Amino acid sequence: MDKVDNRRIISRRKAQSVKRKTKNLKLYALRFNFTLYVLCFALNCSSAIIFLSSNLSYAEEPFIRGFLQTNYSARITGVKLPGAKRQELMLGEERGRLDGSYYPSNACVGFDVKADLFHDWVEGDWGVTLREGYMDCLMDKFDVRIGRQIVTWGVGDLLFINDVFPKDWEALYLGRPLEYLKQGVDAGKLSLYTDLASAEFIVIPHFTPDNLPSAGRFFFFDPYPNIMNREVEKPKTTFGNTEYALRVYMSLAGADLSAYAYKGFYRDPAQRADNFTSPTTTSYFYPELAVYGASLQKNVLGGVVSAEYGYYDSMNDRNGKNPGIENSQSKFLIGYQKAFQNDMTIGLQYYGELMSQYKEYNANLPPAFYRKKELHQYITLRVTKLLKYQTVKLSLFTFYSPDEEDFFITPEASINVTDNMLLVLGTNIFVGVKDNTTFGQQHKNSNLYALARYSF
Amino acid sequence: MRNIKALIMILVLGMVWAKPSFPGDTLTPEEIVRACYANFYYAGNDMKARILMKLIDKGGQERIRELTMLRKNYAEGGGQKYFIYFHQPSDVKNTTFMVYKYPDRDDDRWLFIPAINLVKRIAANDKYSSFVGSDFSYEDVSGRKIQEDSYRLLKEEELNGKSCFVIESLPKGSAEYTKRISWIDKVNYLPLREEFYDKQNELYRQFEAFEIKDINGIPTATKTVMKNVKTGHRTEVTFQSTEYNLGIGDDIFSERYLRRRPTEWIK
């Protein structure tokens, strides 16, 4: 996982979540306005493009679809969370989605907007989110997409190396539908296509952090529980803070190959303190990050082999001496997925993070922090079985870290009662020997979740 | 001598690929099945079809899969590319699926999941698994290799007024069925009925083509049904529109169009 190691920034999360609560709607409104601005700009451009490209034969009528769903998650450990608003209830919401798209006839531009309206029983409020909203300009050898969009890169299954785009880890741990693990970015994307290779180049002017488990819903390890006032400083939307991401991909000898580069910021915050041993003040910020990597996927031995590598260049702590900032790392994974008869699929992955400057890390680590191994590893297993003409799906996903000795286990059953009605029941189980490891710190958060969705 | 053999091979291949095959009465059972596969799975150089599948359980409850399929042939009896776009149901709209089929190894398959804008390669050696929850397996949809069965002509008889070869196929290795009986139209070499038998030698699935249309000179099964006689579940397939030899470009079968369907081909 890109940044499952969230021990060091947990107290930051508390501050973050308190702020989030008060600024939630404001933030939504700001992001909504930003994208509206982009869309308005796009609309102004589009009429000219429609005129210029009226000989192209793209056609689709306006289309609207969506869903209504209710999604609940309850803590099953019986442990009371101090300060929790709803005690056992970790997630309780009703949500409606509208997805409208319009790709007019005889034009090479189109639009797609997905927006959610929800009521959250835990926070006791209503909200609107623009999940995606973009304009496409589709040309012969290139496409341009402007607006809020979800980008997913890499070949890992719930393990992200070159997918440097924002995630919502809270959504994953609460048992929300998997699509909510991914957050949109407000960005412009240029896609180029040639016979030899293709490329995607993404420019992100507006920083979006990961959404981490928040106070009021989750237990987590906090190295400095007594420090209450914690400022969070996000990269400002300036030209110098623009993020750039590039993917070049091609097929070669039956393999899908990609190379990646990214320059921007860590999406999980780092920590500043006047004194890491016994701080009186701490604050949080998002350090600069560059990532260079590659991936491969190919059919081998009757299954699919996936391999991915990425070097994380921690630009603000290249010598590895700052304990508040992640050291540079090499991240890698190898996976194998095989389908068996009768609708059964099994996937296995091995994932490692090898820390650069481990000596400096060890020498500078404050006593309150968890001491990581030089090589942090995960082994994952996914088993999926479909039954009853694929209307019933049983799945199991398991993370196991041999160095941190913890597990994250997610069994789930879902039923398509009709084409439009989906019911899901599952659990998120956290197990760990220590209460300050990635999943071990969450052992009081094990939960049972349920979802009912009506699609239209 | 080798040149003459090669020439004969080319002539035979030319006969069964890229155009309807109408072999003479002197064909062996294997050649009849080869012609049947060629006409059923390889008709035209390429094909575009809008397909409605009704998945109906024994209680009569219906589920719908509406899709557009683009297919392009690359080699006789083997290499093909498929591009499938789902129109319905609502929760899978915009999902796309692409298959590169090879004569000598497992397919390459990719799936695009629009909700997270993810293209993923998926494992492909599950040819007996259900295609999108229907009574058709992947193998039923994209074809079986001719050398995987041995064939015997059981008889010749009329089925619904059409003169047919009745051919028994027995798998040489492991297969989903232990025996298949096919009624192959003597005129257009399309399968009009197929029966699949299980290990107990009991009939468990039955295929029927009950509407054949001539499209650009190519006889096409436009209405078919596959019924599981043991579960009572059936899948009715209607080719709502079919076109051949459109000149679909190679570039359509790519990640680009998985992410954004080729609107010049798929409305």
Side-chain angles (χ1 to χ4, degrees):
Chain A
M1 304 174 77
D2 184 13
K3 270 307 211 175
V4 280
D5 187 276
N6 40 32
R7 296 172 295 270
R8 303 192 332 183
I9 39 72
I10 268 163
S11 39
R12 161 87 187 281
R13 280 186 216 138
K14 278 191 175 174
Q16 197 181 11
S17 74
V18 170
K19 283 194 165 196
R20 191 182 300 129
K21 285 171 210 161
T22 53
K23 293 186 177 175
N24 231 3
L25 286 172
K26 194 176 167 187
L27 189 67
Y28 292 136
L30 278 172
R31 296 190 71 193
F32 194 72
N33 286 343
F34 179 84
T35 306
L36 277 181
Y37 171 79
V38 171
L39 282 174
C40 287
F41 173 76
L43 278 165
N44 285 333
C45 298
S46 65
S47 54
I49 297 170
I50 290 170
F51 176 76
L52 287 170
S53 58
S54 57
N55 58 337
L56 293 175
S57 58
Y58 298 110
E60 184 191 307
E61 296 306 311
F63 189 87
I64 290 181
R65 61 176 181 151
F67 59 74
L68 296 168
Q69 74 175 31
T70 177
N71 196 181
Y72 282 74
S73 179
R75 199 185 325 275
I76 53 174
T77 55
V79 187
K80 302 280 185 206
L81 174 65
K85 287 189 174 174
R86 294 277 175 174
Q87 288 307 327
E88 284 78 17
L89 190 67
M90 297 174 76
L91 170 70
E93 68 166 31
E94 277 68 58
R95 182 174 288 260
R97 155 80 56 88
L98 274 183
D99 175 358
S101 66
Y102 183 40
Y103 286 78
S105 300
N106 304 319
C108 67
V109 293
F111 305 90
D112 200 322
V113 177
K114 299 182 181 81
D116 285 8
L117 169 69
F118 62 89
H119 179 253
D120 179 346
W121 289 98
V122 176
E123 300 293 343
D125 63 8
W126 291 83
V128 178
T129 55
L130 181 67
R131 184 136 177 87
E132 288 192 280
Y134 52 75
M135 181 198 81
D136 274 329
C137 175
L138 309 163
M139 305 303 282
D140 185 29
K141 291 291 178 193
F142 70 91
D143 299 334
V144 176
R145 176 170 288 183
I146 296 170
R148 182 167 302 171
Q149 52 193 294
I150 288 170
V151 185
T152 305
W153 285 356
V155 297
D157 183 2
L158 291 183
L159 290 167
F160 302 101
I161 296 176
N162 290 293
D163 186 331
V164 289
F165 306 104
K167 318 284 185 309
D168 184 344
W169 295 108
E170 190 170 77
L172 177 73
Y173 299 146
L174 286 172
R176 299 179 68 190
L178 197 57
E179 67 182 277
Y180 287 98
L181 172 59
K182 297 288 299 183
Q183 298 188 71
V185 281
D186 298 325
K189 179 171 76 170
L190 171 68
S191 302
L192 294 168
Y193 308 99
T194 71
D195 292 339
L196 181 66
S198 297
E200 293 177 284
F201 180 59
I202 300 173
V203 178
I204 309 171
H206 176 72
F207 177 78
T208 305
D210 279 356
N211 187 32
L212 299 171
S214 57
R217 294 188 203 244
F218 282 85
F219 286 94
F220 41 70
F221 172 70
D222 185 346
Y224 306 121
N226 298 324
I227 299 178
M228 301 313 292
N229 184 25
R230 308 179 191 208
E231 289 299 315
V232 180
E233 184 190 326
K234 263 194 356 181
K236 291 187 175 62
T237 304
T238 63
F239 182 74
N241 283 344
T242 304
E243 299 166 64
Y244 303 95
L246 173 69
R247 170 180 174 239
V248 179
Y249 60 100
M250 64 189 297
S251 292
L252 191 68
D256 300 333
L257 305 174
S258 294
Y260 311 86
Y262 168 74
K263 181 180 173 306
F265 301 91
Y266 281 97
R267 296 199 189 273
D268 291 355
Q271 200 165 5
R272 282 195 194 100
D274 53 346
N275 171 358
F276 275 108
T277 305
S278 52
T280 54
T281 62
T282 67
S283 64
Y284 296 89
F285 69 108
Y286 296 86
E288 289 179 82
L289 171 69
V291 181
Y292 312 96
S295 71
L296 173 152
Q297 246 183 353
K298 185 173 168 50
N299 276 20
V300 178
L301 301 170
V304 174
V305 166
S306 305
E308 187 169 350
Y309 172 81
Y311 179 72
Y312 274 54
D313 178 5
S314 182
M315 296 167 73
N316 296 146
D317 185 32
R318 282 191 167 134
N319 63 19
K321 290 181 178 172
N322 186 333
I325 303 177
E326 288 277 0
N327 278 21
S328 296
Q329 285 177 322
S330 286
K331 300 188 179 188
F332 50 92
L333 72 83
I334 183 150
Y336 183 66
Q337 183 208 348
K338 190 169 168 71
F340 296 87
Q341 303 310 333
N342 304 317
D343 284 324
M344 180 154 172
T345 308
I346 294 180
L348 274 170
Q349 296 180 112
Y350 169 77
Y351 169 91
E353 290 177 353
L354 185 65
M355 199 188 300
S356 309
Q357 286 88 36
Y358 189 68
K359 206 172 138 190
E360 279 75 13
Y361 166 81
N362 253 332
N364 292 286
L365 191 73
F369 286 9
Y370 173 77
R371 187 174 298 276
K372 291 193 279 191
K373 299 279 194 305
E374 186 173 11
L375 176 64
H376 175 40
Q377 304 167 85
Y378 287 110
I379 295 163
T380 77
L381 167 71
R382 180 185 288 280
V383 182
T384 307
K385 170 77 178 162
L386 302 173
L387 299 159
K388 305 265 181 197
Y389 290 90
Q390 300 181 358
T391 55
V392 176
K393 179 177 169 186
L394 303 177
S395 71
L396 171 73
F397 193 89
T398 304
F399 282 96
Y400 165 61
S401 172
D403 53 297
E404 296 194 350
E405 299 176 283
D406 57 2
F407 290 88
F408 174 42
I409 306 164
T410 308
E412 185 181 277
S414 64
I415 303 172
N416 274 97
V417 182
T418 66
D419 275 343
N420 303 103
M421 190 73 199
L422 173 72
L423 303 177
V424 180
L425 185 66
T427 64
N428 291 306
I429 299 164
F430 302 93
V431 182
V433 172
K434 304 186 185 82
D435 62 5
N436 55 2
T437 59
T438 304
F439 298 124
Q441 65 175 322
Q442 293 219 55
H443 70 276
K444 295 173 187 165
N445 295 324
S446 293
N447 58 72
L448 179 73
Y449 61 88
L451 171 126
R453 174 183 284 193
Y454 177 78
S455 304
F456 56 87
Chain B
M1 190 62 192
R2 288 179 77 178
N3 286 344
I4 293 169
K5 271 190 177 169
L7 189 62
I8 291 168
M9 276 301 291
I10 288 166
L11 286 173
V12 170
L13 294 186
M15 214 162 61
V16 296
W17 177 48
K19 59 173 76 77
S21 295
F22 303 108
D25 283 343
T26 56
L27 292 182
T28 65
E30 180 172 324
E31 285 167 332
I32 292 166
V33 175
R34 189 183 292 277
C36 172
Y37 283 5
N39 286 5
F40 195 61
Y41 295 111
Y42 290 83
N45 297 319
D46 59 35
M47 183 197 77
K48 177 184 132 180
R50 181 133 174 171
I51 298 167
L52 179 68
M53 302 179 83
K54 288 184 180 173
L55 287 51
I56 306 164
D57 70 15
K58 65 179 176 188
Q61 191 191 343
E62 267 186 25
R63 293 183 293 139
I64 297 293
R65 302 284 176 271
E66 189 176 7
L67 53 98
T68 295
M69 178 193 285
L70 305 175
R71 165 172 60 68
K72 184 166 182 169
N73 296 343
Y74 286 82
E76 185 274 331
Q80 284 183 317
K81 292 181 181 176
Y82 288 81
F83 186 101
I84 293 170
Y85 172 84
F86 289 91
H87 302 272
Q88 279 196 77
S90 164
D91 65 338
V92 298
K93 184 176 166 64
N94 292 334
T95 301
T96 51
F97 178 59
M98 186 167 74
V99 180
Y100 286 8
K101 188 180 143 191
Y102 304 103
D104 51 354
R105 57 187 158 103
D106 285 334
D107 300 346
D108 286 329
R109 289 190 204 156
W110 295 264
L111 182 69
F112 171 63
I113 302 166
I116 50 173
N117 195 14
L118 171 69
V119 169
K120 64 187 260 190
R121 196 182 260 257
I122 53 175
N125 58 335
D126 57 339
K127 54 191 175 186
Y128 313 137
S129 287
S130 161
F131 176 72
V132 299
S134 72
D135 292 281
F136 290 89
S137 67
Y138 278 94
E139 189 175 78
D140 296 327
V141 173
S142 68
R144 184 167 164 84
K145 292 178 181 62
I146 199 87
Q147 64 273 19
E148 289 179 325
D149 291 317
S150 58
Y151 306 95
R152 188 160 67 100
L153 180 65
L154 297 179
K155 57 187 170 183
E156 297 178 19
E157 70 176 17
E158 287 217 340
L159 180 70
N160 301 328
K162 289 177 179 166
S163 185
C164 292
F165 298 110
V166 182
I167 292 188
E168 177 189 72
S169 306
L170 298 175
K172 293 174 183 170
S174 67
E176 185 220 3
Y177 55 81
T178 57
K179 182 175 74 179
R180 186 184 65 188
I181 313 276
S182 307
W183 281 255
I184 296 171
D185 190 320
K186 279 187 172 181
V187 177
N188 58 32
Y189 284 81
L190 288 176
L192 300 184
R193 175 188 287 170
E194 292 195 299
E195 294 176 349
F196 298 80
Y197 291 81
D198 62 16
K199 282 178 182 150
Q200 288 76 42
N201 201 30
E202 288 175 2
L203 175 68
Y204 72 99
R205 284 200 307 156
Q206 181 169 303
F207 167 85
E208 272 195 76
F210 53 91
E211 183 182 273
I212 309 284
K213 279 186 179 168
D214 187 291
I215 295 169
N216 307 126
I218 298 175
T220 306
T222 49
K223 285 192 178 176
T224 61
V225 62
M226 181 73 87
K227 182 171 184 181
N228 187 316
V229 296
K230 293 209 161 176
T231 64
H233 195 280
R234 72 181 192 276
T235 301
E236 297 177 359
V237 178
T238 306
F239 279 54
Q240 296 173 316
S241 65
T242 311
E243 294 171 83
Y244 292 107
N245 300 326
L246 298 162
I248 299 170
D250 288 345
D251 63 324
I252 296 303
F253 302 90
S254 65
E255 182 181 322
R256 176 186 192 179
Y257 291 105
L258 273 173
R259 290 181 185 274
R260 166 74 202 155
R261 75 178 191 279
T263 42
E264 56 182 308
W265 297 111
I266 301 173
K267 306 294 185 199

